[in-house]
Amino acid sequence: MAWPHIFQRGTLLSRFSHHHVVVFLLTFFSYSLLHASRKTFSNVKVSISKQWTPSAFNKSIELPVEIWSSNHLFPSAEEATLFLGTLDTIFLFSYAVGLFISGIVGDRLNLRWVLSFGMCSSALVVFVFGTLTEWLRFYNKGLYCCLWIVNGLLQSTGWPCVVAVMGNWFGKAGRGVVFGLWSACASVGNILGACLASSVLQYGYEYAFLVTAAVQFAGGIIIFFGLLVSPEEIGLPGIEAEENFEEDSHRPLINGADNEDESEPNYSIQEDDTASQVKAISFYQACCLPGVIPYSLAYACLKLVNYSFFFWLPFYLSNNFGWKEAEADKLSIWYDVGGIIGGTLQGFISDVLQKRAPVLALSLLLAVGSLVGYSRSPDDKSINALLMAVTGFFIGGPSNMISSAISADLGRQELIQGSSEALATVTGIVDGTGSIGAAVGQYLVSLIQDNLGWMWVFYFFILMGILIGCSFHHPTSRYSPPALFKEPWG
């Protein structure tokens, strides 16, 4: 088998300038900081639960029972845990709604402004939620819910913007490996959040929120002054101009048509070939693009499982094995390490094969086995970390691919002639649908765990994994080209 186009002359590394490197790093760390602030909440759930329950369950002598009663908080740790799960669900639902909106906004406004505003505003909300309320000793469930709704809406500006910027700078050649490595930003953010939270948790959970919020706010300022959203801003040729010089000797990764001229005319979004006259496509047109709906539905199930590990893994380790919260936070990093390796390696393999779906299907099939193995992990930190990394490899890897490389492929397919004004909208649809699934999942996880135990939570994850794997073998929409679901495995 001949090496694919990603290694041919002038297609990947030789094309990168220092501008590409700066854009890669700025978008990478901007989303890492957003994820770090989210991870902080999951890492301090045990401390928050203790603080929100009476002294019968909490050894703190600073706040008597009357304080909890007057603020209508929780008489038991179980009720506090259920409310924490509700906050996760509220956040993800508002985040999902925000993604659909942010994608449309990102294709119509300056991506740098939208991303910077979202980062700085979200940092202020996180500070109020976790730090200011604790300093003022003001505990109120309604306030917490409102703040987390606003935080979800603001955080939703991040992913559509960074994927669109990356799609403006990095073309189809080698997109799997480039985006596979870049999509580790979420996992790096999880690791960063876990490290920051565990390092200051001994002083109180409010300082974990303070540190991550301060770092995120500073990152938003840097993005505002330093990010270039497209090569055209500095007079460089755009991605379409560069790709027009390449020989189209390989079948597109997303579009299954063998001939570009065979594309159905009613899918055409723009009639003028002039890039300067490209306009942002509508939400409905983006939904009708081949592959958008099938991948969005598959990602809903996958993100449900991935975010359940993201939100509940430290709590599960502390609750199920009795390990200290700081130790559980550090151990949970191994899931993200597996996701980083999985996303990069699977993206590379998909570039070599010039096919994404078979790589995803195989990984998700193996993910079912890894979930079974992890659910039976013994009370041993080393074995648990190993099984956790394997699980992250087979679940986090495909999740990273769909949300980054595949979203960019979908937003730049030939049917819209590579319109950059479709990237943020398509990304918002894919990630927004995934977040709806994740939102439903977080409430179900807390409900299943409370009534049936952790083993049934893993049974639920295994069922989701089977459903996702099946989706890559059967067409789910008439808009789905054969390349998505019917590619040969050889």
Side-chain angles (χ1 to χ4, degrees):
M1 170 179 160
W3 289 106
H5 60 288
I6 62 172
F7 298 109
Q8 294 177 3
R9 177 181 57 84
T11 58
L12 190 55
L13 293 178
S14 62
R15 184 182 299 170
F16 289 176
S17 66
H18 71 280
H19 296 295
H20 289 83
V21 176
V22 171
V23 168
F24 185 100
L25 293 177
L26 285 179
T27 54
F28 185 97
F29 284 106
S30 64
Y31 196 72
S32 294
L33 295 179
L34 288 169
H35 242 262
S37 67
R38 297 183 212 171
K39 184 64 173 175
T40 299
F41 179 67
S42 65
N43 285 342
V44 299
K45 279 182 175 178
V46 174
S47 295
I48 292 178
S49 179
K50 290 179 179 179
Q51 190 72 353
W52 286 356
T53 51
S55 55
F57 305 92
N58 175 15
K59 301 304 181 182
S60 172
I61 60 174
E62 295 183 15
L63 297 175
V65 176
E66 290 77 10
I67 297 296
W68 279 275
S69 300
S70 64
N71 286 278
H72 307 290
L73 286 181
F74 309 101
S76 67
E78 288 75 16
E79 292 190 25
T81 300
L82 189 61
F83 180 70
L84 291 173
T86 303
L87 285 178
D88 288 338
T89 303
I90 288 173
F91 173 85
L92 285 173
F93 267 122
S94 63
Y95 182 72
V97 172
L99 282 168
F100 293 120
I101 299 172
S102 297
I104 297 172
V105 173
D107 279 333
R108 288 159 174 80
L109 299 180
N110 189 295
L111 293 167
R112 181 176 66 253
W113 298 348
V114 177
L115 178 58
S116 178
F117 170 78
M119 291 181 67
C120 293
S121 301
S122 171
L124 293 175
V125 172
V126 169
F127 168 76
V128 174
F129 176 92
T131 306
L132 188 60
T133 56
E134 179 62 26
W135 282 350
L136 298 177
R137 302 299 192 190
F138 182 77
Y139 307 94
N140 185 276
K141 289 184 285 188
L143 175 64
Y144 289 137
C145 291
C146 291
L147 287 173
W148 233 221
I149 289 173
V150 174
N151 188 38
L153 294 173
L154 293 172
Q155 289 244 345
S156 69
T157 60
W159 192 248
C161 290
V162 294
V163 172
V165 172
M166 284 290 292
N168 289 340
W169 281 90
F170 296 88
K172 184 187 302 180
R175 180 176 285 155
V177 65
V178 172
F179 275 71
L181 179 61
W182 174 83
S183 64
C185 57
S187 298
V188 170
N190 295 342
I191 295 172
L192 177 62
C195 292
L196 290 176
S198 61
S199 64
V200 298
L201 190 57
Q202 57 182 319
Y203 305 108
Y205 74 81
E206 64 271 23
Y207 291 98
F209 286 104
L210 174 63
V211 171
T212 53
V215 174
Q216 180 180 309
F217 188 89
I221 299 299
I222 294 174
I223 289 297
F224 182 80
F225 289 103
L227 181 63
L228 296 172
V229 299
S230 68
E232 289 88 341
E233 282 194 351
I234 52 175
L236 296 177
I239 291 300
E240 287 83 4
E242 291 188 7
E243 290 182 344
N244 284 338
F245 291 100
E246 296 181 14
E247 292 183 2
D248 190 16
S249 60
H250 57 88
R251 185 174 62 181
L253 294 175
I254 291 298
N255 192 345
D258 293 327
N259 191 328
E260 292 179 9
D261 295 332
E262 295 176 2
S263 302
E264 297 184 25
N266 60 329
Y267 287 143
S268 180
I269 304 301
Q270 65 175 23
E271 297 178 356
D272 195 324
D273 291 335
T274 306
S276 61
Q277 297 181 6
V278 172
K279 296 182 179 180
I281 68 174
S282 70
F283 182 86
Y284 174 76
Q285 288 174 316
C287 289
C288 291
L289 290 173
V292 171
I293 296 299
Y295 268 113
S296 297
L297 295 176
Y299 190 51
C301 296
L302 182 57
K303 193 168 184 177
L304 185 156
V305 179
N306 194 44
Y307 261 56
S308 295
F309 274 89
F310 167 73
F311 279 117
W312 289 101
L313 187 54
F315 185 86
Y316 163 74
L317 295 173
S318 180
N319 182 267
N320 193 60
F321 296 109
W323 298 338
K324 294 181 179 179
E325 188 177 18
E327 294 178 348
D329 290 346
K330 293 178 180 179
L331 194 66
S332 66
I333 289 173
W334 287 102
Y335 179 82
D336 296 298
V337 171
I340 293 172
I341 300 173
T344 305
L345 183 59
Q346 291 167 33
F348 173 78
I349 294 174
S350 72
D351 279 339
V352 173
L353 297 178
Q354 300 183 38
K355 301 169 186 175
R356 307 255 194 251
V359 179
L360 292 174
L362 178 59
S363 179
L364 292 168
L365 177 65
L366 296 174
V368 173
S370 68
L371 284 168
V372 173
Y374 187 71
S375 67
R376 288 164 172 77
S377 174
D379 188 357
D380 182 280
K381 292 185 177 67
S382 299
I383 297 177
N384 193 286
L386 176 62
L387 294 175
M388 190 189 303
V390 173
T391 304
F393 183 94
F394 292 121
I395 294 178
S399 178
N400 290 344
M401 281 187 62
I402 293 178
S403 62
S404 59
I406 289 176
S407 292
D409 289 340
L410 292 169
R412 282 193 175 278
Q413 53 189 297
E414 280 74 7
L415 296 180
I416 50 175
Q417 299 161 13
S419 169
S420 63
E421 282 73 14
L423 269 172
T425 302
V426 169
T427 303
I429 292 171
V430 174
D431 204 23
T433 307
S435 295
I436 292 175
V440 174
Q442 301 326 297
Y443 183 75
L444 291 177
V445 166
S446 61
L447 199 62
I448 294 172
Q449 189 275 328
D450 188 50
N451 291 279
L452 300 173
W454 285 109
M455 187 56 67
W456 281 93
V457 173
F458 284 104
Y459 292 154
F460 176 57
F461 292 163
I462 291 169
L463 175 62
M464 289 295 103
I466 294 173
L467 291 176
I468 304 165
C470 292
S471 71
F472 287 96
H473 296 286
H474 300 282
T476 58
S477 169
R478 71 184 183 91
Y479 296 115
S480 308
L484 279 175
F485 296 99
K486 297 180 180 178
E487 289 174 325
W489 286 75

